[in-house]
Amino acid sequence: MIEARDMTKRYGDLTAIERVTFTVAKGEVLAFLGPNGAGKTTTMRILTCFMPATEGTALVAGFDCFEQPVEVKRRIGYLPETPPVYQELTVTEYLTFVGRIKGMGTAALRAGLDRVVERLSLGDVRHRLIANLSRGYRQRVGLAQALLHDPPVLILDEPTVGLDPKQIIEIRELIKSLAGSHTVILSTHILPEATAVCQRVVIINAGRIVAEDQPDRLSARLRRSEKLSITVKAPPADLAGRLRALPGVLAVFEPTDGGAFLLECALGRDLRDDIARFIVTNGWGLLELKTVSITLEDVFLHLTQHEAGMETGSGTTETQEPTL
């Protein structure tokens, strides 16, 4: 449904993105992750025909974003980082105006307006001036205009900015409900958001794609060992040494505040049963034993810091994806 091939955007001597390539399948929800200034918004603007790429191509639903921008725009709903709302209009007036620009007929516009007002809980404010709405409600109005014509493709640039925790959960659930019937690109630097709603992740840093996969697969690629956290009620003074002597245990890190011991174990070995039996048999009191997984945040920090280190060390912005 979406295909970017070697997209590059330059502003004079500044290269915002370089040779960005990825695809999004029909009905997929993709997270486009990166730190501020990584090139996320530039990529979104090219895909929505806001500006052309300097090099490369972008296709949406089979239409070229440079050669056929009108056809592309008919098939996308776009929420930019700053919602494009007219504050002197009421919510209903604004959405009606947007619907007419999109070429919606009277019946389709009325049905679409009722649908998005209900879906985004705008009923109580639909007749209020947008200027008098909170930032969270303005964000919801911006999302409503993207959904109004029920497009097959949604491109959302930081869609939960300015929302309170309850509203964030509601918007995340809405995005998840769109999977299958809509293709969604969600640009964000909020990692829990990507984990909560997206099936696949693309990580961009310094204008280049540094990783692309499902979140759990990215974590697996980075993992070099199994990690366990254990909390013991009455640990002996030499517990770390005793645990380190167990077969399969590579390292033991003692708590600095009386908390949990962290065990690093051989990759692919599950030592939970052995360690639990060892502690219980000795009567030390096992309070907690759990695996410690590598989060998407760990992956993100590893990849972006690695890329930054390569740039600093080499004096150039040319990078390659690190071996995980």
Coordinates of all heavy atoms in Angstrom, one line a residue, residues 84-106 109-110 112-113 116 126 130 141 144-146 148-149:
P84 N -4.1 21.1 11.6 CA -4.4 22.2 10.7 C -5.9 22.7 10.9 O -6.8 22.5 10.1 CB -4.3 21.6 9.3 CG -4.7 20.2 9.5 CD -4.2 19.8 10.9
V85 N -6.1 23.3 12.1 CA -7.5 23.7 12.4 C -7.7 25.3 12.3 O -6.7 26.0 12.5 CB -7.9 23.3 13.8 CG1 -7.9 21.8 13.9 CG2 -6.9 23.8 14.9
Y86 N -8.8 25.7 11.9 CA -9.2 27.1 11.8 C -9.9 27.5 13.1 O -11.1 27.1 13.3 CB -10.0 27.4 10.6 CG -9.3 27.2 9.3 CD1 -9.9 26.5 8.2 CD2 -8.0 27.7 9.1 CE1 -9.2 26.3 7.0 CE2 -7.3 27.5 7.9 CZ -7.9 26.8 6.9 OH -7.2 26.6 5.7
Q87 N -9.3 28.3 13.9 CA -9.8 28.6 15.2 C -11.1 29.4 15.3 O -11.8 29.4 16.2 CB -8.7 29.2 16.1 CG -7.5 28.3 16.2 CD -6.5 28.8 17.3 OE1 -6.9 29.4 18.3 NE2 -5.2 28.6 17.0
E88 N -11.3 30.1 14.2 CA -12.5 31.0 14.1 C -13.8 30.2 13.8 O -14.9 30.8 13.8 CB -12.3 32.2 13.2 CG -12.2 31.8 11.7 CD -10.8 31.4 11.3 OE1 -9.9 31.2 12.2 OE2 -10.5 31.4 10.1
L89 N -13.6 28.9 13.5 CA -14.8 28.1 13.1 C -15.2 27.2 14.3 O -14.3 26.9 15.1 CB -14.5 27.2 11.9 CG -14.1 28.0 10.6 CD1 -13.8 27.0 9.5 CD2 -15.2 28.9 10.1
T90 N -16.4 26.7 14.3 CA -16.8 25.7 15.2 C -16.3 24.4 14.7 O -15.9 24.3 13.5 CB -18.3 25.6 15.4 OG1 -18.9 25.2 14.2 CG2 -18.9 27.0 15.8
V91 N -16.4 23.3 15.5 CA -15.9 22.0 15.1 C -16.7 21.5 13.9 O -16.1 21.1 12.9 CB -16.0 21.0 16.3 CG1 -15.7 19.6 15.8 CG2 -15.1 21.4 17.4
T92 N -18.0 21.7 13.9 CA -18.9 21.2 12.8 C -18.6 22.0 11.6 O -18.5 21.5 10.5 CB -20.3 21.3 13.2 OG1 -20.6 20.5 14.3 CG2 -21.2 20.9 12.1
E93 N -18.4 23.3 11.7 CA -18.1 24.2 10.5 C -16.8 23.8 9.9 O -16.7 23.7 8.7 CB -18.1 25.6 10.9 CG -19.5 26.2 11.3 CD -19.4 27.6 11.9 OE1 -18.3 28.0 12.3 OE2 -20.4 28.3 11.9
Y94 N -15.8 23.6 10.7 CA -14.5 23.2 10.2 C -14.5 21.9 9.5 O -14.0 21.7 8.4 CB -13.5 23.2 11.4 CG -12.1 22.6 11.0 CD1 -11.3 23.2 10.1 CD2 -11.8 21.3 11.5 CE1 -10.1 22.7 9.7 CE2 -10.6 20.8 11.1 CZ -9.7 21.4 10.2 OH -8.5 20.9 9.8
L95 N -15.1 20.8 10.1 CA -15.1 19.5 9.5 C -16.0 19.5 8.2 O -15.7 18.8 7.3 CB -15.7 18.5 10.5 CG -14.8 18.2 11.7 CD1 -15.4 17.2 12.7 CD2 -13.4 17.7 11.2
T96 N -17.0 20.4 8.2 CA -17.8 20.5 7.0 C -17.0 21.1 5.9 O -17.0 20.7 4.7 CB -19.1 21.4 7.3 OG1 -19.9 20.7 8.3 CG2 -19.9 21.5 6.0
F97 N -16.2 22.2 6.2 CA -15.4 22.8 5.3 C -14.3 21.8 4.7 O -14.1 21.7 3.5 CB -14.7 24.0 6.0 CG -13.5 24.6 5.2 CD1 -13.8 25.4 4.0 CD2 -12.2 24.4 5.5 CE1 -12.8 26.0 3.3 CE2 -11.2 25.0 4.8 CZ -11.5 25.8 3.7
V98 N -13.7 21.0 5.6 CA -12.7 20.0 5.2 C -13.4 19.0 4.3 O -12.8 18.6 3.2 CB -12.1 19.4 6.4 CG1 -11.2 18.1 6.0 CG2 -11.2 20.3 7.2
G99 N -14.6 18.5 4.6 CA -15.3 17.5 3.8 C -15.5 18.0 2.4 O -15.4 17.3 1.4
R100 N -15.9 19.3 2.3 CA -16.2 19.9 1.0 C -14.9 20.0 0.1 O -14.9 19.8 -1.1 CB -16.9 21.2 1.1 CG -18.3 21.1 1.6 CD -18.9 22.4 1.9 NE -20.3 22.3 2.3 CZ -21.0 23.3 3.0 NH1 -20.4 24.4 3.2 NH2 -22.3 23.0 3.3
I101 N -13.8 20.3 0.8 CA -12.5 20.4 0.1 C -12.2 19.0 -0.4 O -11.6 18.9 -1.5 CB -11.4 21.0 1.0 CG1 -11.6 22.4 1.2 CG2 -10.0 20.7 0.4 CD1 -10.6 23.1 2.1
K102 N -12.5 18.0 0.3 CA -12.2 16.6 -0.1 C -13.1 16.1 -1.1 O -12.9 15.0 -1.6 CB -12.2 15.7 1.2 CG -11.1 16.0 2.2 CD -11.3 15.1 3.4 CE -10.2 15.4 4.5 NZ -8.9 15.0 4.2
G103 N -14.1 16.9 -1.5 CA -15.0 16.5 -2.5 C -16.1 15.5 -2.1 O -16.7 14.8 -2.9
M104 N -16.4 15.5 -0.8 CA -17.5 14.6 -0.3 C -18.9 15.2 -0.6 O -19.1 16.4 -0.5 CB -17.3 14.5 1.2 CG -16.0 13.8 1.6 SD -15.8 13.8 3.4 CE -17.1 12.5 3.9
G105 N -19.8 14.3 -1.0 CA -21.2 14.7 -1.2 C -21.9 15.0 0.1 O -21.4 14.7 1.1
T106 N -23.1 15.6 0.0 CA -23.8 16.0 1.2 C -24.1 14.8 2.1 O -23.8 14.9 3.3 CB -25.1 16.7 0.8 OG1 -24.9 17.8 0.0 CG2 -25.9 17.1 2.0
L109 N -20.8 13.4 3.5 CA -20.3 14.3 4.5 C -21.0 14.2 5.8 O -20.4 14.2 6.9 CB -20.3 15.7 4.0 CG -19.8 16.8 4.9 CD1 -18.4 16.6 5.4 CD2 -19.9 18.2 4.2
R110 N -22.3 14.2 5.8 CA -23.1 14.1 7.0 C -22.8 12.8 7.7 O -22.6 12.8 9.0 CB -24.6 14.2 6.7 CG -25.5 14.2 7.9 CD -27.0 14.2 7.5 NE -27.3 15.4 6.7 CZ -27.7 15.4 5.4 NH1 -27.8 14.2 4.8 NH2 -28.0 16.5 4.8
G112 N -20.1 10.9 7.5 CA -18.7 11.0 8.0 C -18.5 11.9 9.2 O -17.8 11.5 10.1
L113 N -19.2 13.0 9.2 CA -19.2 13.9 10.3 C -19.7 13.3 11.6 O -19.1 13.3 12.6 CB -20.0 15.2 10.0 CG -19.9 16.3 11.0 CD1 -18.5 16.8 11.3 CD2 -20.8 17.5 10.5
V116 N -17.1 10.5 12.8 CA -15.9 10.9 13.5 C -16.2 11.6 14.8 O -15.4 11.6 15.8 CB -15.0 11.8 12.6 CG1 -14.5 11.0 11.4 CG2 -15.7 13.1 12.2
R126 N -19.0 20.0 19.5 CA -19.1 20.1 18.1 C -19.6 21.5 17.7 O -19.3 21.9 16.5 CB -19.9 19.0 17.5 CG -21.4 19.0 17.9 CD -22.1 17.8 17.3 NE -22.1 17.8 15.8 CZ -22.5 16.8 15.1 NH1 -23.0 15.7 15.7 NH2 -22.5 16.9 13.8
I130 N -13.3 26.4 17.8 CA -12.1 25.7 18.0 C -11.1 26.5 18.9 O -10.3 25.9 19.7 CB -11.5 25.3 16.7 CG1 -12.4 24.3 16.0 CG2 -10.1 24.7 16.9 CD1 -11.9 23.9 14.6
V141 N -9.8 17.1 17.0 CA -10.4 17.6 15.8 C -9.5 17.4 14.6 O -10.0 17.1 13.5 CB -10.7 19.1 16.0 CG1 -11.2 19.8 14.7 CG2 -11.7 19.3 17.1
A144 N -9.9 14.0 13.6 CA -11.2 13.8 12.9 C -11.2 14.2 11.5 O -11.8 13.5 10.6 CB -12.3 14.6 13.7
Q145 N -10.5 15.3 11.1 CA -10.4 15.7 9.7 C -9.7 14.7 8.9 O -9.9 14.5 7.7 CB -9.8 17.1 9.6 CG -8.4 17.3 10.0 CD -7.3 16.8 9.0 OE1 -7.6 16.8 7.8 NE2 -6.2 16.4 9.5
A146 N -8.7 14.0 9.5 CA -8.0 12.9 8.8 C -8.8 11.7 8.5 O -8.7 11.0 7.5 CB -6.7 12.5 9.5
L148 N -12.2 11.8 8.3 CA -13.6 12.2 7.8 C -14.0 11.4 6.6 O -15.1 11.0 6.5 CB -13.6 13.7 7.6 CG -14.9 14.3 7.2 CD1 -15.9 14.1 8.3 CD2 -14.7 15.8 6.9
H149 N -13.1 11.3 5.6 CA -13.5 10.7 4.3 C -13.2 9.2 4.3 O -13.2 8.6 3.2 CB -12.9 11.4 3.1 CG -11.4 11.4 3.1 ND1 -10.6 11.9 4.2 CD2 -10.5 11.0 2.2 CE1 -9.4 11.8 3.9 NE2 -9.2 11.2 2.7

